[in-house]
Amino acid sequence: MKFLKLFSAAILAVAMTACGSSSKDKAQADIAEPEALSVDALLAAPDSLVGQTVTIEGVCSHLCKHGGRKAFVAGASDGNLIRCEATAEMGGYFPKETIHRPIRVTGVLVEERIDSTVIAQLEEQAKTMSDCESGCETERKAQGQAELTSLADRIADYRAKIAERTEKEGKPYLSFYYINSTNYEILGE
């Protein structure tokens, strides 16, 4: 009888431990998988997320030809793209397999500002560059400059948009956003 009580207690302890660990594992899985934003949702209100870790999902529309260090993830509309920069933490590049595939990217959202100082630097660079060196087509598209192929046209566009934003919002700069990527995953289609 004493043996039966000990045996029952041992079975109960194992069962409680197993139940406890599975709910603990589930809780850890919930923490490990942050909810992903669409590219459109992120770009609709990025200011509040700058400096924070975000997770996005979308289709990788373009990879940088220089070793895959940049991946552009597309939103639902043609012009909504976010640049994801590969970091050493995630291996330093996005593999070719990510192109035209749905991916999930996690990293820190960064704001890049174009102001009069940056424009002056671009003008200095323009003196030694040919017109064909006006930047990656996809990068231009992400900045709303897809049709502008010369650096001079891009600088003029920046100036006009800065003037408009300064008048409307009192901010003498343009904001562009990208993600310093710490992790990525190719999703099933």
Side-chain angles (χ1 to χ4, degrees), residues 38-170:
S38 70
V39 172
D40 300 315
L42 175 69
L43 293 177
D47 294 341
S48 63
L49 299 172
V50 170
Q52 295 183 35
T53 299
V54 296
T55 298
I56 60 153
E57 287 184 4
V59 174
C60 178
S61 67
H62 177 78
L63 277 182
C64 173
K65 294 177 185 173
H66 304 288
R69 292 185 307 244
K70 298 176 187 177
F72 289 84
V73 181
S77 83
D78 193 34
N80 275 356
L81 293 167
I82 186 134
R83 183 178 83 222
C84 299
E85 303 245 348
T87 61
E89 186 175 344
M90 61 158 274
Y93 69 94
F94 289 91
K96 290 179 184 177
E97 296 80 43
T98 59
I99 190 73
H100 305 299
R101 303 274 308 274
I103 63 172
R104 177 182 294 128
V105 179
T106 300
V108 176
L109 185 66
V110 177
E111 178 186 24
E112 178 178 36
R113 292 183 177 183
I114 305 287
D115 60 12
S116 58
T117 303
V118 173
I119 289 176
Q121 293 168 350
L122 288 173
E123 288 173 327
E124 279 300 309
Q125 290 175 359
K127 293 176 184 176
T128 60
M129 291 171 56
S130 69
D131 253 1
C132 66
E133 297 179 81
S134 64
C136 167
E137 180 181 348
T138 306
E139 183 83 45
R140 290 193 322 265
K141 188 175 181 179
Q143 292 184 352
Q145 296 183 324
E147 72 287 348
L148 304 177
T149 56
S150 78
L151 188 54
D153 288 345
R154 292 185 72 201
I155 290 170
D157 183 63
Y158 286 145
R159 286 189 190 284
K161 287 178 179 175
I162 289 171
E164 183 181 327
R165 187 174 192 199
T166 301
E167 187 176 312
K168 285 183 179 177
E169 302 174 39

